[in-house]
Amino acid sequence: MANSQTDAKSLKRPRGLLKSKKGRNNAEHGDSPSSKRQKQAEEVVDFGTKPMIPEETEKSVTYEDWEDLKEIFMNALHNYKGPEPASCAPLLRGVMHECDRFSRNSEDPTSIYLKGQSSSTSGSGVDSPLAFATIQGYALYLMGALILEDPSIVTEGEPSDPAEYFEVVLNTFENASARWKGKGRADALDPWKARMEIVWGDSINGLAAARAEENEGSSSSFNAESAVAHFFVAQRCAPSIIRPVRDPGTDSSSLVDTETDLDTTSIITLTRNSALLEAGRGVIESTYREDDNDLVRKWCKQVLGILDAVSSTENDDEERRANFEALRGKCWLTMGALSSEACASDEDHLDSLETEEAQSSREELDRAVKFLSDARRRLKEADLADSDILKEVERSMGEAYMHLGNVTADEEKRESLYVLAKTFGVDVDLLGGDSDDEWKGIEEDDEKD
């Protein structure tokens, strides 16, 4: 669905990423080896040079180095979702350097942790063969997204074209996926694979955005179906919970959903509910560059079908429920907007408002408003009145009211809908609402006929 309201640069930042308990404890108890490595990455890479790694460390990479790498990347994610996303760039550079060091020291970097975790009782989780490629690709994706949004963060010697980062991500994931296909856990329920598939789809969208910017809005080579396919794979392979490695004798009843378990691995990877949210958002993002309306409707209905199959639990907080309602609302808005735009483009605009398509649009947009309003209420009750998600929900409500106005024949009701749209920050005249003069012209032409 070509969407004039969506800027070519639009990239959703990953949500639901929390700071790990391990990272917080390091800050409380002074400089651990991993915190020293993190500081080194921040301080040195910030000047555009490679971190100085002691020669004896360069000769070998250990399981502890793998745990340190995850922790540094987790902290980069924490900064990325904060008020200043670009502040994570030095850490991302450190992560990319460490991944390169792993590759230089071992023909198979996965062997470092696959062997090490089998004898460890203090690691952050059982990491799949796809874990290394996921971290490497995720760091590259985030760096590309930052550069796409603010090219000034590029330092000397770094590629300045964000598309280069996204292309490397795609190659990294293709190689890792091909290597481990059909080999045990890499094809089973795997939170690492879920994250990899989300970033894979996001990178396809990111590459399209970067190319569109280069070509002044055109992204003809973009394959939305490919991106959407990865998002749907992600929600299918994410487990309901992530079970971290615990000390022997730990009662299994103490295991909790990853959303509340402040474990490093669970910050990077995805559970089923988290995957559903991120995959759904990715699908909606993909529809903005897809012109086949039938495909767009098919994808939105698939997301709604998956969401309807998910039952809420007593452990779901208001923010989680709000996110699900908001996603439902976005799906209905996307479908309702398709019909609204079709009616608006009809030469017999007023007559088109009496058609089944217009009625269908009104019903879909009414549902969108219902779900979005519920999400807005829940977010406010959760003291998230200033959150980005609330702003996004309110913006979507404004768009829904605008499209409802466009398929409403009654002048008084139509104007009241446009007023509501403006209340939620939507410039009706700029984004597709029909002005009074346009409606007057349409009505006059209809009377002449």
Side-chain angles (χ1 to χ4, degrees):
M1 180 183 69
N3 191 327
S4 60
Q5 302 170 27
T6 304
D7 186 84
K9 286 187 178 182
S10 176
L11 281 174
K12 304 294 185 185
R13 295 209 302 274
R15 300 181 186 279
L17 303 169
L18 305 174
K19 191 170 184 179
S20 75
K21 184 184 300 181
K22 180 178 178 183
R24 188 170 65 241
N25 288 341
N26 285 339
E28 293 171 354
H29 299 296
D31 285 346
S32 67
S34 60
S35 64
K36 287 180 180 178
R37 186 182 299 281
Q38 176 177 321
K39 289 181 179 178
Q40 186 180 54
E42 285 182 298
E43 292 169 1
V44 180
V45 182
D46 207 18
F47 291 94
T49 60
K50 291 185 177 180
M52 299 298 292
I53 305 297
E55 185 177 350
E56 62 270 23
T57 306
E58 184 67 22
K59 290 181 180 179
S60 63
V61 180
T62 67
Y63 181 69
E64 287 69 29
D65 292 324
W66 167 247
E67 289 294 309
D68 290 347
L69 174 61
K70 288 192 293 182
E71 183 183 340
I72 295 171
F73 184 52
M74 176 275 298
N75 286 325
L77 286 172
H78 176 71
N79 288 359
Y80 186 78
K81 75 171 289 268
E84 297 182 7
S87 68
C88 77
L91 285 172
L92 290 176
R93 294 184 181 105
V95 170
M96 289 185 286
H97 178 275
E98 285 296 281
C99 287
D100 181 60
R101 187 170 73 92
F102 270 63
S103 298
R104 290 198 309 270
N105 279 272
S106 175
E107 292 183 4
D108 178 15
T110 65
S111 64
I112 296 166
Y113 60 85
L114 291 179
K115 293 178 182 177
Q117 68 188 3
S118 63
S119 60
S120 171
T121 59
S122 59
S124 66
V126 178
D127 301 320
S128 85
L130 298 173
F132 179 78
T134 299
I135 287 182
Q136 188 175 39
Y138 202 173
L140 286 162
Y141 164 75
L142 294 177
M143 199 68 187
L146 288 173
I147 294 172
L148 183 61
E149 191 168 322
D150 181 10
S152 69
I153 70 167
V154 175
T155 60
E156 184 178 355
E158 287 183 337
S160 59
D161 181 2
E164 292 186 35
Y165 292 85
F166 300 132
E167 287 172 343
V168 175
V169 176
L170 300 183
N171 288 334
T172 299
F173 288 167
E174 285 168 4
N175 292 336
S177 183
R179 178 181 181 186
W180 294 103
K181 186 175 182 179
K183 296 181 180 179
R185 189 180 167 199
D187 274 350
L189 291 179
D190 181 1
W192 285 101
K193 180 173 174 61
R195 171 57 71 190
M196 186 185 78
E197 295 290 343
I198 292 289
V199 178
W200 202 331
D202 283 340
S203 296
I204 294 173
N205 281 333
L207 182 58
R211 293 301 185 218
E213 185 175 85
E214 293 174 2
N215 302 326
E216 298 181 350
S218 173
S219 57
S220 56
S221 62
F222 173 59
N223 186 350
E225 286 188 78
S226 177
V228 169
H230 288 293
F231 292 130
F232 282 127
V233 170
Q235 61 83 22
R236 290 198 299 271
C237 67
S240 57
I241 65 171
I242 296 173
R243 295 181 178 273
V245 173
R246 307 247 179 206
D247 291 335
T250 298
D251 184 355
S252 62
S253 65
S254 66
L255 296 173
V256 295
D257 190 287
T258 209
E259 301 304 319
T260 58
D261 182 5
L262 297 180
D263 168 77
T264 303
T265 302
S266 70
I267 305 305
I268 304 170
T269 56
L270 292 170
T271 58
R272 186 169 299 139
N273 282 351
S274 298
L276 286 176
L277 289 173
E278 293 203 32
R281 291 177 184 134
V283 170
I284 296 298
E285 177 73 16
S286 302
T287 66
Y288 296 153
R289 298 184 181 89
E290 176 56 57
D291 294 322
D292 187 332
N293 290 351
D294 289 337
L295 262 182
V296 171
R297 284 189 173 279
K298 176 184 176 182
W299 295 337
C300 288
K301 288 179 179 178
Q302 280 183 269
V303 174
L304 287 169
I306 294 168
L307 290 173
D308 288 344
V310 176
S311 58
S312 299
T313 68
E314 294 180 1
N315 293 329
D316 283 347
D317 57 22
E318 287 301 303
E319 183 177 5
R320 171 82 68 84
R321 293 172 184 269
N323 276 293
F324 276 100
E325 297 299 88
L327 182 53
R328 287 185 173 94
K330 286 286 288 185
C331 288
W332 287 112
L333 169 58
T334 300
M335 292 189 291
L338 289 176
S339 300
S340 172
E341 290 167 0
C343 292
S345 63
D346 196 309
E347 291 184 0
D348 299 320
H349 191 175
L350 282 178
D351 290 341
S352 72
L353 300 184
E354 304 301 324
T355 63
E356 289 185 7
E357 185 171 35
Q359 179 60 31
S360 175
S361 176
R362 287 190 288 269
E363 291 174 357
E364 289 165 342
L365 292 167
D366 281 336
R367 289 189 178 186
V369 170
K370 173 184 176 296
F371 285 117
L372 291 167
S373 297
D374 188 49
R376 180 171 179 256
R377 175 184 61 78
R378 291 181 184 278
L379 288 168
K380 288 190 171 184
E381 289 177 354
D383 294 327
L384 294 168
D386 296 325
S387 65
D388 288 340
I389 182 65
L390 179 60
K391 294 175 184 176
E392 183 181 333
V393 165
E394 291 184 338
R395 173 75 179 185
S396 297
M397 288 179 67
E399 292 177 14
Y401 283 127
M402 179 193 72
H403 285 294
L404 268 173
N406 289 346
V407 289
T408 299
D410 182 88
E411 181 178 357
E412 184 176 346
K413 186 176 181 180
R414 180 174 66 245
E415 287 308 310
S416 66
L417 289 167
Y418 286 159
V419 169
L420 281 171
K422 292 177 181 178
T423 300
F424 288 106
V426 173
D427 188 329
V428 174
D429 296 329
L430 178 65
L431 294 183
D434 297 318
S435 65
D436 291 340
D437 289 341
E438 288 174 321
W439 275 98
K440 185 177 180 181
I442 292 171
E443 290 167 351
E444 289 176 349
D445 290 340
D446 189 62
E447 289 174 0
K448 289 178 183 178
D449 294 339

